[in-house]
Amino acid sequence: QAMNKSNGDFMAVVQAMNKSNEEPFNGDDEQMITAIAEQAGVALNNAAQHADEHAHSVLRGRMLELWSPKMPVLTTETESLCRKLTAELHELVGAEESSIFLCSTSGQPELGHTAYTEKFSQTFDCLPFGAAGKVMETKEQLRLNGVDDVAAFVSVSTPRKRKQPVSLLCLPVLNAHDQLKIVGAIELVGFEREFSDGDVKIASSFMIHANRVLTAHLTYKNLSQGDGLLQRAFHASSDVQRAIVFDEKGRFVNANYDIETIYDVDVTSAKVSNYADWITAMSADECLRDDLDNAYKTCKPVCNRQARFSRADGAAVGNYSVVPLLDVPDNSMTRSATDEKEPQLRGSGVPAPGVRCQGMVLFVSPTAGDGSASPGAAAENRPLSAPQVMPSDLETDKVAKLASEMKSWDYDVMAAAGRDPVQLQTIVSVMYHDLRLVDRWSIQPRVLGNFLSAACAKYRNVPFHSFTHGATVAHIMYYFMSQTRIGECLDALHKLAMITAAVCHDMDHPGHTNSYEVNSGSMLSMRYNDRSVLENHHTATSWSILRQEECNIFATLSAAELKQIRGLFVSSILFTDMAEHMSLLNKFKEVNKETPDWEPSNADECKLMCNVLLHSADLSNPARPWRIATTWAHLVGQEFNNQVKKEKEANLPYAPFMETNNELEHCKGEVGFIKFAIKPWWSHVVAVFPYLNFAFDNINSNQERYEENVKLLTDTTATQAPP
């Protein structure tokens, strides 16, 4: 057998027959054939890798063509774009037919969906039947080989006569900014052939970028149409949130209100003139015009600024945000992880190569006192398609009140803020203020607000690993540093590194584990070579935000301080990988020998303490009161079950402990997790930091509650079992 040495996969068989000298095969012959088989495995593996790299190279080239000026993604006709996408995927995968189904812009099935093929389009009055309809309903890919009943599965009727059986590969088109929203589906049909795992991998990689292309295109299209999404989305709150769309040359396109009420300019004039003409005419603060200029030049948003507008009927004050509509090439397709250099956090003010601004959205919210908004309206400033920002400054009494509440180990972030982005960002901002980090490092409140808004937006809407989890872990880190002697062991630089790492540690988490990434052969697993895949991704994603000038809370640090804080930031997040759990625990034991009130004596021990603190905060839910612990336990159970479902459908290996079909299995799983992971870790933590003994008491109490539930549910099941 010729095997792949890297993973042991069977690749081929070497067979030798009838020696030329007519002698029987002996031990030497067997050794020689074995050596030949080993070399054949190496050669075949190299050939396969070369073929894979060639396929990826072709895919990269195809995707770069889609972003080229020859195909302006945002402004081209929807039908032309869809036909271009279907043609590219058709050729890449080798399908005989391909179609794209797009949901109606209203999201209501009865208002019609459209299917685009390479040669024609077809409109549906309801959700398409067959494979595409199922995928649009479940948001999960579907592969069917050897289908005889074509009419029951193929969703589009084409002029050509079909052969039977056929194979189908159907993938969802998801909103690039919200993976829970369906944009449509792509259906591939093959005659007398089957779609392989390789076809699925290529199509899935293609869909990552198709999602971005279609999301950007449809968002721009809807914002640019007078009767589109913009008009409907703000209809109910037009007195609170106002929005204007400009084209690539700064000319007025559309608004969800009468622009003369603020800008003293008529629509006809605005459509033929640049914004600079009538912004000057209305005598607004010059910063608004400057911010628009800079946004067009740098392709970067400006969030939560204020301007005073002088009108004939008096002055008006408004908060505003400027959000570019970008045509952005996916640079990740052309760069490998090894190509990345050490990032420099100070922004250059120059857009990345290939980035083109196709338009701009200006959001304005009247503030209290201008007579145009109802009481409390300013607090509801949550602009569509813009980062959800918090007030640029916090009142002293609000900081003091929130800080007082958060100084308790029992403070419940979930109960206090749920998933509300503004409340969560406010809670985290208070931590930076109360730890005196804003003052110590001269962090501008606006920059802190921008960073937290961007961080919040990067977290996905998944059951457990949401921004609420990030804020909860940040709260535990805040507790360590503000309420225990641990804070005396860390200087201001370490505190800034650790609270920021806590906020960012699960950024852009997809809701499944590293094993899923590796087993499914995801782009992330290839980028990070199957090692701490998600943790590397969280770190890189976070740092890409911190590199942006408007989000750079590290702007005042020296080069040496920046290098130190990055080291702490990266190390602590990478050690949240549960695969590193035992190695970190053993290192922790080796260094301090359970010495009570341990204090680091050098830089390496200080970094170790930071790694231990973030991992402890990440594993703190079972050490919280029952009401908090059980809430988060059910959320992680929900994520696990979602992953197992995907793994089964894709014929991937899965961990049996992650599947819980009822409350009894859930409680048994929590007992095992506490016994074998939580207790060994926290027993050493409280031995070194004895003032945290109450946390271990909570762990014991929660374990007892789960064990009681196991007994009760087991007895109930036995009683209800049929004789």
Side-chain angles (χ1 to χ4, degrees):
Q1 293 182 352
M3 311 292 288
N4 182 341
K5 281 192 171 185
S6 62
N7 56 23
D9 284 349
F10 171 76
M11 301 191 72
V13 171
V14 176
Q15 178 177 301
M17 299 177 61
N18 301 329
K19 291 179 65 173
S20 59
N21 60 7
E22 299 184 356
E23 294 289 328
F25 289 105
N26 54 35
D28 292 340
D29 297 328
E30 185 175 348
Q31 289 182 5
M32 180 177 65
I33 294 173
T34 299
I36 292 172
E38 289 181 355
Q39 292 301 314
V42 173
L44 289 170
N45 184 43
N46 290 340
Q49 289 183 351
H50 176 76
D52 287 344
E53 178 57 32
H54 176 70
H56 284 297
S57 177
V58 172
L59 178 59
R60 284 194 294 269
R62 296 291 189 190
M63 292 312 305
L64 287 173
E65 285 182 15
L66 290 177
W67 288 112
S68 71
K70 299 177 183 178
M71 187 67 178
V73 168
L74 298 182
T75 56
T76 191
E77 290 295 324
T78 302
E79 186 168 350
S80 298
L81 177 61
C82 288
R83 287 180 177 172
K84 174 70 172 176
L85 285 169
T86 56
E88 293 294 340
L89 188 54
H90 181 127
E91 186 173 343
L92 281 170
V93 179
E96 277 77 15
E97 290 182 1
S98 53
S99 309
I100 287 185
F101 298 80
L102 293 184
C103 295
S104 59
T105 55
S106 68
Q108 300 299 319
E110 67 273 11
L111 295 183
H113 301 260
T114 303
Y116 298 96
T117 70
E118 294 174 75
K119 297 182 179 179
F120 74 98
S121 62
Q122 180 177 339
T123 301
F124 296 82
D125 294 329
C126 59
L127 196 69
F129 62 87
K134 180 176 178 60
V135 167
M136 291 169 73
E137 185 176 4
T138 63
K139 305 180 182 68
E140 297 180 358
Q141 72 177 32
L142 178 66
R143 175 172 54 164
L144 298 171
N145 287 320
V147 176
D148 291 319
D149 188 2
V150 177
F153 290 96
V154 179
S155 306
V156 178
S157 298
T158 61
R160 62 186 295 181
K161 184 178 179 181
R162 298 182 183 278
K163 302 175 183 177
Q164 294 181 345
V166 303
S167 296
L168 288 171
L169 178 58
C170 201
L171 304 99
V173 181
L174 301 175
N175 187 301
H177 308 303
D178 185 350
Q179 295 291 302
L180 297 180
K181 292 182 179 179
I182 188 77
V183 173
I186 286 185
E187 181 182 83
L188 302 173
V189 180
F191 301 134
E192 298 179 344
R193 60 153 293 180
E194 294 187 350
F195 289 112
S196 65
D197 292 341
D199 295 329
V200 174
K201 183 178 293 187
I202 290 174
S204 298
S205 298
F206 182 92
M207 289 307 302
I208 293 173
H209 308 286
N211 290 347
R212 297 174 184 171
V213 169
L214 286 169
T215 299
H217 169 79
L218 294 174
T219 299
Y220 181 80
K221 178 182 176 183
N222 288 329
L223 286 173
S224 300
Q225 292 177 348
D227 61 345
L229 178 64
L230 181 70
Q231 196 74 15
R232 291 193 299 273
F234 289 113
H235 178 73
S237 58
S238 59
D239 60 332
V240 176
Q241 180 65 61
R242 298 167 177 174
I244 301 179
V245 180
F246 301 97
D247 66 13
E248 67 275 10
K249 295 185 178 180
R251 295 171 301 200
F252 173 83
V253 175
N254 185 38
N256 67 331
Y257 67 103
D258 182 1
I259 63 172
E260 293 185 43
T261 60
I262 287 185
Y263 302 99
D264 283 342
V265 63
D266 62 272
V267 171
T268 303
S269 300
K271 284 188 174 182
V272 296
S273 60
N274 185 275
Y275 62 83
D277 298 332
W278 39 281
I279 286 183
T280 301
M282 71 184 187
S283 301
D285 288 349
E286 288 193 4
C287 62
L288 171 56
R289 189 174 64 252
D290 292 342
D291 284 338
L292 279 165
D293 291 342
N294 288 331
Y296 269 101
K297 291 176 183 176
T298 66
C299 299
K300 295 180 179 180
V302 177
C303 302
N304 205 43
R305 302 291 290 274
Q306 190 174 85
R308 179 177 297 275
F309 311 112
S310 299
R311 306 181 309 197
D313 58 349
V317 177
N319 291 325
Y320 67 87
S321 295
V322 179
V323 182
L325 294 168
L326 302 180
D327 193 351
V328 186
D330 184 6
N331 292 330
S332 65
M333 296 293 293
T334 59
R335 296 173 59 196
S336 66
T338 55
D339 293 332
E340 296 182 3
K341 297 181 180 180
E342 185 74 11
Q344 299 298 317
L345 288 178
R346 288 155 180 79
S348 63
V350 178
V355 174
R356 296 183 295 119
C357 184
Q358 292 284 316
M360 197 72 58
V361 185
L362 170 63
F363 297 94
V364 177
S365 291
T367 58
D370 73 345
S372 60
S374 57
E380 295 299 321
N381 178 17
R382 300 174 192 175
L384 181 72
S385 300
Q388 302 209 10
V389 295
M390 51 171 290
S392 60
D393 205 354
L394 291 170
E395 300 86 348
T396 304
D397 58 342
K398 188 174 184 179
V399 172
K401 184 177 183 298
L402 262 177
S404 176
E405 295 173 356
M406 291 191 298
K407 283 180 168 59
S408 168
W409 179 263
D410 298 347
Y411 180 74
D412 188 348
V413 173
M414 176 73 81
R419 291 179 180 249
D420 185 280
V422 175
Q423 292 190 47
L424 290 169
Q425 291 167 50
T426 301
I427 287 172
V428 176
S429 181
V430 167
M431 301 176 197
Y432 280 86
H433 282 270
D434 192 61
L435 291 170
R436 311 298 296 173
L437 299 175
V438 172
D439 294 336
R440 169 62 182 82
W441 299 107
S442 301
I443 302 173
Q444 297 180 30
R446 177 178 59 82
V447 174
L448 178 60
N450 290 343
F451 162 66
L452 295 178
S453 295
C456 177
K458 268 297 182 182
Y459 272 84
R460 301 191 193 184
N461 187 21
V462 293
F464 183 87
H465 292 98
S466 63
F467 188 61
T468 307
H469 169 66
T472 298
V473 172
H475 164 250
I476 298 301
M477 184 63 68
Y478 166 78
Y479 180 89
F480 286 154
M481 296 189 294
S482 67
Q483 296 303 110
T484 74
R485 290 186 57 191
I486 292 172
E488 300 173 7
C489 302
L490 302 176
D491 60 22
L493 185 73
H494 287 80
K495 290 178 180 178
L496 179 61
M498 295 319 298
I499 200 69
T500 306
V503 171
C504 298
H505 81 283
D506 273 328
M507 188 179 290
D508 199 35
H509 197 294
H512 46 64
T513 63
N514 282 330
S515 63
Y516 180 88
E517 293 286 340
V518 173
N519 292 334
S520 64
S522 71
M523 296 295 286
L524 285 180
S525 68
M526 289 187 281
R527 178 177 298 168
Y528 297 113
N529 299 314
D530 297 347
R531 299 186 63 180
S532 299
V533 175
L534 292 177
E535 290 72 25
N536 273 297
H537 180 58
H538 304 326
T539 307
T541 303
S542 305
W543 209 255
S544 69
I545 290 176
L546 289 164
R547 292 179 66 184
Q548 300 172 24
E549 188 173 8
E550 66 274 12
C551 298
N552 183 9
I553 61 174
F554 300 151
T556 63
L557 272 63
S558 67
E561 290 168 335
L562 183 59
K563 182 178 180 180
Q564 183 181 1
I565 209 168
R566 176 166 166 79
L568 295 168
F569 182 91
V570 172
S571 175
S572 60
I573 293 180
L574 291 182
F575 269 106
T576 60
D577 183 359
M578 285 302 293
E580 301 293 336
H581 177 80
M582 289 308 301
S583 66
L584 182 59
L585 178 58
N586 292 334
K587 183 67 175 177
F588 189 28
K589 290 180 177 180
E590 176 187 336
V591 169
N592 57 61
K593 310 295 184 184
E594 294 193 356
T595 304
D597 296 332
W598 170 63
E599 294 185 8
S601 59
N602 55 52
D604 288 339
E605 289 189 0
C606 203
K607 179 180 281 191
L608 173 64
M609 172 179 269
C610 290
N611 296 340
V612 167
L613 291 177
L614 185 57
H615 193 49
S616 299
D618 201 23
L619 294 180
S620 65
N621 289 326
R624 309 290 298 284
W626 172 256
R627 71 180 187 280
I628 300 176
T630 189
T631 297
W632 285 104
H634 278 100
L635 290 174
V636 76
Q638 185 180 342
E639 259 191 29
F640 281 176
N641 279 327
N642 291 343
Q643 175 175 323
V644 170
K645 180 182 177 182
K646 290 182 179 179
E647 288 168 328
K648 287 183 174 180
E649 291 177 350
N651 292 320
L652 296 174
Y654 69 93
F657 77 86
M658 293 178 64
E659 184 177 33
T660 52
N661 297 308
N662 51 54
E663 186 64 17
L664 175 58
E665 292 179 359
H666 168 75
C667 292
K668 286 181 177 179
E670 288 304 307
V671 170
F673 180 58
I674 290 174
K675 279 185 176 180
F676 300 111
I678 297 300
K679 274 193 166 180
W681 176 266
W682 275 93
S683 64
H684 192 74
V685 170
V686 299
V688 176
F689 308 120
Y691 35 80
L692 294 175
N693 269 321
F694 63 86
F696 203 74
D697 293 339
N698 284 341
I699 293 172
N700 284 325
S701 174
N702 291 334
Q703 180 183 340
E704 291 172 3
R705 289 282 293 270
Y706 279 121
E707 289 173 340
E708 290 172 2
N709 288 348
V710 169
K711 185 177 184 305
L712 177 63
L713 291 168
T714 301
D715 293 343
T716 302
T717 303
T719 303
Q720 295 176 350

